[in-house]
Amino acid sequence: MRNIIGLLTLSLHFGCQGTVRAAHDEAETPTSYTALEVAGGAMGDPVGSPIHAVLTSPPEVPPAVDRTTPAKVVVELEVVEKVMPISEGVDYTFWTFGGTVPGSFIRIRQGDTVEFHLQNHPDNKMPHNIDLHAVTGPGGGAASSFTAPGNQSQFSFQALNPGLFVYHCATAPVGMHIANGMYGLILVEPPEGLAPVDREYYVMQGDWYTVGKYREKGLQPFDMQKGIEENATYVLFNGSEGALVGDNALQAKVGEHIRLFVGNGGPNLVSSFHLIGEIFDKVHFEGGSLVQEQVQTTLIPAGGAAIVEFTVEAPGTYVLVDHSIFRAFNKGAVGMLKVEGPDAKGVYSGKEVDAVYLADKAAPAAPIAEASQATAAGTLSLAQQVDAGKALFQGTCSTCHQPDGKGLGDVFPPLAESDFLMADVERSIGVVLNGLSGPIEVNGRRFDSVMPPMSQLNDDEVAHILTYVRNSFGNKGDAVSPEQVARVRATTERPQGAAH
Amino acid sequence: MLLHLYIAVAVAQVPTDLVAIRGGAYRPLYPADPEVPVVTVGPFRLESRPVTVGQYRAFVQAHPAWAPGKVPAVRADESYLSRWSSGATLADEQPVTEVSWFAARAYCAALGRRLPTEDEWELVARASTDAFDASADEAWLAEILAWYGRPSTDTLSWVGRGTPNRWGVHDMHGLVWEWVEDFNNTLVSADIREAGDDERSRFCGVGAVSAQDVKDYANFMRVAWRSALEGRTTTRNLGFRCAADEEGP
């Protein structure tokens, strides 16, 4: 019932004290109190002095509630509009709860009475409010928290239902406030608490709409039209492409039991949340009380959440993705969990065989081996590279570009006598390494297609392939050296894990 | 700095020139009467620029009741002109901000003028540099929206710097938010909030349905902004300009 109210008020909220009475009256049915009865004794007046809530920035989670009675909990949350990187070299003006995206994590106990203070920083341009899905009451707090810059509002609510809930700004135009990062999670623990685990983390997905293309440099404004069309430029965990990768990756040790609090702020997209190389032992799907077990991918609605739990048995890097997989590959929905500890070969062996397999495209692998030896000896010749490149080309490239290099229709451009290929060797190296999408012109013909990055190839292999195609099919060019490839690779770094 | 206020040489309140607006019809985002989606605005005059720090300082010197610290809390909140005494550098030519609706009205009244109504302000605000009504110009709307999307951490630039709009009016967008006389007409004011539910439900529950153009985000932002205000509210990016009737001083 509460969700009905939430939806209606979310549609457009200017902070009035009004309510949608029909929906509210429906909520007064006895069945809505099931949670109270089950909780038995969870409710009642707050006990003891008021407690100031510990708020944490993602990916950290506040400590578990250590109380057996309800309390009065004071939450102070500041809205800050600020410029932060959304990707490398790309800035965005985020609107935040607490200075981060997602906003500060709030952790309370069922039955607690929360005294909520929303502060709108004086430098902010916009009025804001907050709708917490954990609130039972019209607007989820939105009506009572509408606050102009340089002002603060206060309201109180009792946390009647346990669960993991989203909060978000509900000021019109709601979509823009959410698209700019105004969401976070509030956990309402049941009276008995959650089972202890070794580590807890806070991850939240969101979709982003910028005027510039994905990774177009500079300060990128919000694009209203793309938002309306639900055509996301970025899909990200924790508000930036680097939030959970490299040095910022989540950490764990072999054998530990991990709990992730995962939310989806939207505003538009539903998440197919998946952790590559792990199976969730338990999922509190939709953030509720029921538990599903042995889950590969869990669906998290926009404005919803899930608690996932798993044990990490083998060391290595586990990659969080939205398994609507183009979002991971092309829009940034990638995070990492790095697990350290002793190998567990019985659970996962690592690579046991690494050999070329060319199937029906079989070409003698001998030239590749010969080129490798020549490279090591420093005697690599153009002819050796061409031979090795030909073998590699037939395994990797010929499916699309065709064995004769003439391409296929209007989809795969020709390499044969190709002006595009021959014009700029560094560009060609970049295309092999990083892929290419969007319109290009080859020999006067326009192509608008996608080539995936050939990130499985090493520098030697890329050099051989390019040397081959630049000296075949009517092309005539120099040898391409592995050093050239290495230089291009070094200047066009892609995030680890993006190649999944 | 207190210097701004007490050591500056007293100067008369110099009014900004008024631009004649011949009036016209426009479609408000939330028409007061849903049966009448187009509102006709009669002729009036509007100051060509927002009121500046220098102009407001002269007003305060002539009317000390509006000096910082002298204004009752019901008429201006505690951040009223707070930067005048905080050591912040304010140029005379910057738009005055941190003024309440009551203060803005008093300033205009001292000149025999008044605040523009929301309809008057919005009519003029629809003009780009080369069109009286640019409300269908998506690029122009996107520019306005981009300004709304940025926090006000930079120093405000001087008034009247850019190209005026088609009416010859400067700074309707991109410098400061501005008070209008009936800023609270699109929501229920505190006084009538308890009176009845009909008005409320119109704006809370059915708001998106009754809006004229749910794609005009810039307009939504202004309505939302005004809805967040009380008459005593002051903020760092909220200023004003005065208007006058067609025939007047």
Side-chain angles (χ1 to χ4, degrees):
Chain A
M1 290 301 175
R2 214 195 46 73
N3 285 340
I4 297 171
I5 298 166
L7 270 179
L8 286 171
T9 47
L10 179 142
S11 67
L12 223 193
H13 216 292
F14 290 131
C16 34
Q17 294 286 4
T19 170
V20 183
R21 274 172 298 155
H24 188 218
D25 291 344
E26 282 172 36
E28 304 288 346
T29 56
T31 51
S32 63
Y33 290 96
T34 308
L36 296 183
E37 290 157 11
V38 170
M43 300 308 182
D45 293 333
V47 176
S49 338
I51 296 166
H52 276 263
V54 176
L55 305 184
T56 57
S57 299
E60 304 303 328
V61 177
V65 172
D66 186 19
R67 282 184 277 118
T68 53
T69 51
K72 179 174 176 179
V73 180
V74 179
V75 174
E76 294 193 31
L77 195 55
E78 182 187 39
V79 176
V80 185
E81 301 169 1
K82 63 194 285 199
V83 174
M84 295 189 285
I86 191 169
S87 181
E88 196 175 324
V90 188
D91 286 334
Y92 189 81
T93 304
F94 292 84
W95 298 351
T96 73
F97 285 110
T100 57
V101 176
S104 306
F105 196 104
I106 306 167
R107 186 168 196 161
I108 58 173
R109 178 185 183 276
Q110 186 183 10
D112 283 351
T113 296
V114 176
E115 180 184 294
F116 204 101
H117 298 254
L118 188 72
Q119 301 151 342
N120 195 350
H121 193 279
D123 283 340
N124 292 350
K125 185 74 70 58
M126 300 304 304
H128 299 287
N129 63 6
I130 190 166
D131 169 356
L132 299 116
H133 292 180
V135 169
T136 306
S144 314
S145 60
F146 195 46
T147 309
N151 286 264
Q152 56 181 319
S153 300
Q154 179 187 331
F155 66 98
S156 296
F157 68 93
Q158 189 176 23
L160 301 182
N161 303 61
L164 182 61
F165 299 97
V166 168
Y167 66 77
H168 63 88
C169 183
T171 299
V174 179
M176 181 173 177
H177 284 255
I178 294 178
N180 282 348
M182 298 198 75
Y183 46 77
L185 291 180
I186 175 169
L187 173 67
V188 183
E189 288 191 17
E192 68 276 17
L194 301 178
V197 292
D198 297 304
R199 290 175 196 263
E200 293 180 327
Y201 286 116
Y202 171 23
V203 176
M204 203 154 175
Q205 181 172 324
D207 29 299
W208 304 84
Y209 304 84
T210 62
V211 170
K213 286 185 295 195
Y214 174 66
R215 289 195 180 168
E216 193 169 312
K217 304 293 185 212
L219 180 63
Q220 289 295 335
F222 167 69
D223 190 312
M224 181 188 74
Q225 193 57 37
K226 285 180 186 168
I228 292 170
E229 290 167 4
E230 308 192 8
N231 174 21
T233 320
Y234 294 86
V235 179
L236 302 172
F237 296 119
N238 290 5
S240 117
E241 213 168 2
L244 294 177
V245 302
D247 292 342
N248 299 325
L250 305 178
Q251 305 286 335
K253 292 195 166 58
V254 166
E256 286 184 329
H257 196 57
I258 316 287
R259 175 181 290 136
L260 302 182
F261 298 103
V262 190
N264 184 8
N268 287 321
L269 302 180
V270 168
S271 174
S272 306
F273 185 72
H274 177 80
L275 179 54
I276 299 170
E278 264 300 338
I279 296 149
F280 302 136
D281 300 328
K282 288 183 185 173
V283 175
H284 285 266
F285 54 93
E286 297 167 6
S289 304
L290 287 181
V291 171
Q292 172 69 296
E293 299 186 337
Q294 324 306 351
V295 176
Q296 56 189 309
T297 300
T298 192
L299 202 61
I300 307 179
I307 303 171
V308 305
E309 296 180 12
F310 53 92
T311 301
V312 281
E313 288 88 357
T317 298
Y318 297 80
V319 180
L320 290 67
V321 295
D322 181 341
H323 216 296
S324 300
I325 206 68
F326 273 94
R327 300 176 188 169
F329 206 93
N330 296 85
K331 300 189 174 188
V334 170
M336 290 183 184
L337 170 68
K338 287 189 177 166
V339 179
E340 292 184 346
D343 281 341
K345 295 288 190 192
V347 178
Y348 183 73
S349 71
K351 190 175 240 180
E352 293 176 317
V353 174
D354 181 3
V356 175
Y357 172 68
L358 298 173
D360 58 338
K361 301 278 182 189
I368 303 170
E370 188 184 319
S372 296
Q373 287 161 5
T375 304
T379 60
L380 184 67
S381 70
L382 180 84
Q384 284 171 321
Q385 276 197 282
V386 167
D387 287 347
K390 182 176 184 180
L392 289 160
F393 180 89
Q394 288 175 358
T396 304
C397 319
S398 65
T399 312
C400 298
H401 291 291
Q402 301 303 299
D404 58 7
K406 287 185 177 164
L408 196 63
D410 293 330
V411 182
F412 302 120
L415 302 172
E417 300 177 49
S418 162
D419 56 356
F420 185 89
L421 170 72
M422 301 306 290
D424 182 345
V425 65
E426 294 205 343
R427 177 175 69 185
S428 297
I429 295 170
V431 169
V432 176
L433 292 176
N434 305 312
L436 180 68
S437 68
I440 58 169
E441 194 172 295
V442 181
N443 297 343
R445 288 168 61 202
R446 192 169 179 282
F447 294 84
D448 189 356
S449 188
V450 178
M451 170 169 159
M454 298 295 148
S455 43
Q456 77 280 15
L457 299 173
N458 63 30
D459 292 347
D460 286 355
E461 290 166 337
V462 173
H464 300 337
I465 289 172
L466 282 170
T467 302
Y468 168 65
V469 298
R470 289 168 55 83
N471 290 281
S472 308
F473 318 133
N475 299 323
K476 187 79 189 118
D478 297 333
V480 177
S481 73
E483 291 74 24
Q484 281 175 285
V485 177
R487 274 198 300 278
V488 174
R489 193 190 293 274
T491 56
T492 56
E493 196 179 352
R494 303 165 56 252
Q496 289 176 301
H500 167 72
Chain B
M1 279 294 183
L2 291 170
L3 294 179
H4 284 298
L5 196 56
Y6 299 114
I7 303 184
V9 179
V11 288
Q13 194 178 349
V14 181
T16 305
D17 57 299
L18 290 163
V19 175
I21 309 293
R22 66 166 184 269
Y26 92 104
R27 301 172 73 89
L29 190 66
Y30 286 95
D33 180 355
E35 302 291 311
V36 187
V38 175
V39 166
T40 304
V41 178
F44 69 105
R45 293 175 295 160
L46 186 66
E47 291 185 352
S48 64
R49 296 177 298 280
V51 173
T52 65
V53 169
Q55 288 173 310
Y56 198 83
R57 188 178 295 130
F59 163 72
V60 168
Q61 282 171 352
H63 304 86
W66 289 101
K70 306 283 188 196
V71 184
V74 293
R75 294 185 154 239
D77 64 25
E78 54 269 39
S79 59
Y80 174 71
L81 299 180
S82 67
R83 279 188 292 189
W84 286 27
S85 53
S86 72
T89 307
L90 291 175
D92 278 356
E93 297 82 358
Q94 282 179 303
V96 69
T97 60
E98 299 183 319
V99 287
S100 67
W101 177 76
F102 293 103
R105 292 182 99 222
Y107 173 96
C108 295
L111 295 171
R113 296 179 181 178
R114 59 175 174 81
L115 287 174
T117 65
E118 182 176 32
D119 286 338
E120 288 170 341
W121 196 96
E122 287 288 335
L123 176 77
V124 177
R126 268 159 180 66
S128 63
T129 53
D130 46 26
F132 286 112
D133 183 358
S135 58
D137 181 342
E138 288 185 8
W140 180 75
L141 289 175
E143 259 180 58
I144 299 173
L145 193 63
W147 177 73
Y148 292 162
R150 284 193 301 272
S152 325
T153 46
D154 296 339
T155 306
L156 293 171
S157 85
W158 295 10
V159 301
R161 276 301 174 86
T163 314
N165 74 9
R166 187 69 177 79
W167 295 101
V169 175
H170 285 273
D171 301 321
M172 292 300 282
H173 303 289
L175 186 57
V176 285
W177 298 100
E178 295 183 17
W179 281 110
V180 294
E181 172 67 17
D182 49 348
F183 68 92
N184 56 354
N185 84 337
T186 19
L187 90 164
V188 186
S189 79
D191 298 318
I192 21 177
R193 188 169 288 162
E194 313 301 330
D197 271 4
D198 291 350
E199 287 286 300
R200 274 184 215 170
S201 58
R202 178 150 66 88
F203 295 112
C204 293
V206 204
V209 180
S210 62
Q212 289 288 305
D213 181 359
V214 293
K215 283 175 67 178
D216 189 349
Y217 274 33
N219 208 336
F220 265 115
M221 315 279 262
R222 288 199 292 276
V223 173
W225 166 262
R226 289 177 196 134
S227 303
L229 300 176
E230 296 173 26
R232 62 192 291 272
T233 306
T234 75
T235 85
R236 288 183 194 173
N237 46 37
L238 175 58
F240 70 102
R241 74 179 76 210
C242 305
D245 294 342
E246 187 183 16
E247 292 167 12

